[in-house]
Amino acid sequence: MSPTRTPAPPPTSTPAARTKAAERQPRPEPSSRAARRRSRAAWTLALPFLALFAVFTLLPVAWSLLMSVTDTKSADLRSPLAVGFVGLDNYIKLFQDPVFFTALRNTGVFVLFGLPLTLAAGLAAAVVLDRGIRRFRAVFRVGLYLPVVTSVVAIAVVWKTLLEPRSGLVNTALGWFGIDGPAWLADTRLALPVMIVMAVWRNLGTVMIIMLAGLQGVPRSLTEAAELDGAGPWQRFRRVTLPLLRPALLLTSLTTGIGYLQFFDEPFVMTSGGPLDSTLSATMFSYRQFGYGNYDYSSAAGYVIFMLIAALTVLQFRVMREKD
């Protein structure tokens, strides 16, 4: 007669087994009451920002749009509801104003030359810092980025002092070589190019930092494979590195282009828009009209600038978007 077998006790569950079992169990869905409570808490935390945004951004934007289609002047501030509706008359008047066309032309020249020069200079600096300079790299980064964090008014004052025709350092240095330096900021042919050069020097640091981050994200294996296939340095940069920098190029071109379309501080500090309106920008034209009390005309000019910014942004997205 065979002995009776005692059934083995069930295996003791380990902590790891209990953890896996708990993970397999479906988690209870949050109740609608808890979801609503979290939603109310989120909106409560966002309410201060929304209030400030509405008061200091949305309201002024909407009010300026209304002013651009009315005959609002500085004298109408006491009775803003008594102004008259004029439709698109301010915009029609703008495009019949030769001074505004001069301001638009100066702004277009500033963007047309300043934007590609800034991108090219920033990209060149990033390539040199990424692969050319090994020692004191951090020092060069700080030195090239320092103008970005410096006040543009301070930079404009320094450049104006350096370019003084009689006592400025630039003409003094040219005099050492027997060259009679020009009146840089008093010449209608030189004032705007000087501001373009200053803007490129001041803003290439931002482009350099973003491009440097993009270059460090390019896989070395791709460039090494292209080198093994016989591609030269320029071909590797053009066919491999540059396409991978498209997002960085789009970001820098957008931010720099928008900033250049609104350039104001340089001519305001250095030339006051002169000589003979050769450095008058579109934003400075709008500022002048506001100072004259023509709030309607100034608002219309501001919205023309806004439409130019929107058009430039759409154009840059179409040109530099990712290709399938």
Side-chain angles (χ1 to χ4, degrees):
M1 188 173 179
S2 59
T4 304
R5 294 183 179 180
T6 304
T12 305
S13 61
T14 62
R18 288 195 299 268
T19 302
K20 291 182 179 179
E23 290 178 352
R24 286 194 296 268
Q25 294 179 356
R27 295 182 179 180
E29 293 293 333
S31 63
S32 58
R33 182 179 300 178
R36 289 195 298 268
R37 186 164 55 249
R38 284 196 295 269
S39 178
R40 286 196 298 268
W43 280 107
T44 302
L45 292 174
L47 190 59
F49 164 76
L50 294 176
L52 292 174
F53 182 76
V55 172
F56 294 104
T57 301
L58 290 182
L59 183 60
V61 168
W63 193 259
S64 64
L65 179 61
L66 290 175
M67 286 195 299
S68 70
V69 295
T70 60
D71 57 356
T72 306
K73 306 296 181 183
S74 58
D76 296 320
L77 291 179
R78 295 182 179 180
S79 55
L81 299 179
V83 298
F85 179 77
V86 297
L88 299 178
D89 288 353
N90 290 320
Y91 294 93
I92 296 173
K93 182 181 177 182
L94 267 178
F95 288 103
Q96 295 175 348
D97 191 339
V99 179
F100 183 66
F101 267 102
T102 300
L104 286 181
R105 183 194 62 197
N106 295 337
T107 304
V109 170
F110 192 87
V111 175
L112 183 63
F113 289 94
L115 179 57
L117 287 175
T118 304
L119 295 179
L123 180 57
V127 171
V128 171
L129 288 177
D130 184 57
R131 301 180 182 179
I133 296 178
R134 300 297 178 186
R135 302 180 61 183
F136 306 109
R137 184 180 299 179
V139 176
F140 284 101
R141 287 181 184 177
V142 173
L144 290 173
Y145 194 74
L146 191 60
V148 178
V149 297
T150 305
S151 170
V152 63
V153 176
I155 290 176
V157 171
V158 171
W159 274 67
K160 184 177 180 180
T161 304
L162 292 175
L163 296 173
E164 283 290 332
R166 295 185 179 180
S167 58
L169 181 61
V170 174
N171 282 0
T172 301
L174 291 176
W176 297 341
F177 301 95
I179 301 175
D180 188 14
W184 298 95
L185 299 177
D187 192 328
T188 56
R189 298 168 300 177
L190 297 176
L192 188 60
V194 165
M195 292 185 184
I196 293 174
V197 172
M198 188 186 76
V200 171
W201 169 79
R202 180 178 178 269
N203 293 286
L204 71 88
T206 302
V207 179
M208 175 203 68
I209 292 296
I210 298 176
M211 293 296 180
L212 193 57
L215 287 171
Q216 293 175 351
V218 175
R220 297 292 183 184
S221 58
L222 294 180
T223 56
E224 291 173 357
E227 186 177 4
L228 291 175
D229 290 339
W234 171 248
Q235 289 178 325
R236 294 197 300 271
F237 178 77
R238 180 184 176 188
R239 301 295 184 181
V240 179
T241 305
L242 199 58
L244 294 177
L245 290 178
R246 191 184 299 272
L249 284 170
L250 177 60
L251 173 63
T252 52
S253 64
L254 281 174
T255 55
T256 307
I258 291 172
Y260 283 0
L261 276 174
Q262 302 177 81
F263 90 104
F264 171 82
D265 301 298
E266 297 90 340
F268 182 78
V269 175
M270 299 175 70
T271 61
S272 298
L276 299 177
D277 292 335
S278 61
T279 59
L280 179 66
S281 65
T283 52
M284 193 170 183
F285 176 88
S286 177
Y287 171 81
R288 282 184 176 180
Q289 295 301 321
F290 189 87
Y292 297 155
N294 301 323
Y295 295 168
D296 51 349
Y297 206 45
S298 174
S299 299
Y303 272 92
V304 170
I305 299 171
F306 169 76
M307 289 185 284
L308 291 176
I309 291 174
L312 179 64
T313 302
V314 172
L315 177 63
Q316 289 174 326
F317 267 107
R318 291 183 63 88
V319 171
M320 305 186 69
R321 65 184 176 183
E322 294 286 348
K323 297 181 180 179
D324 298 332

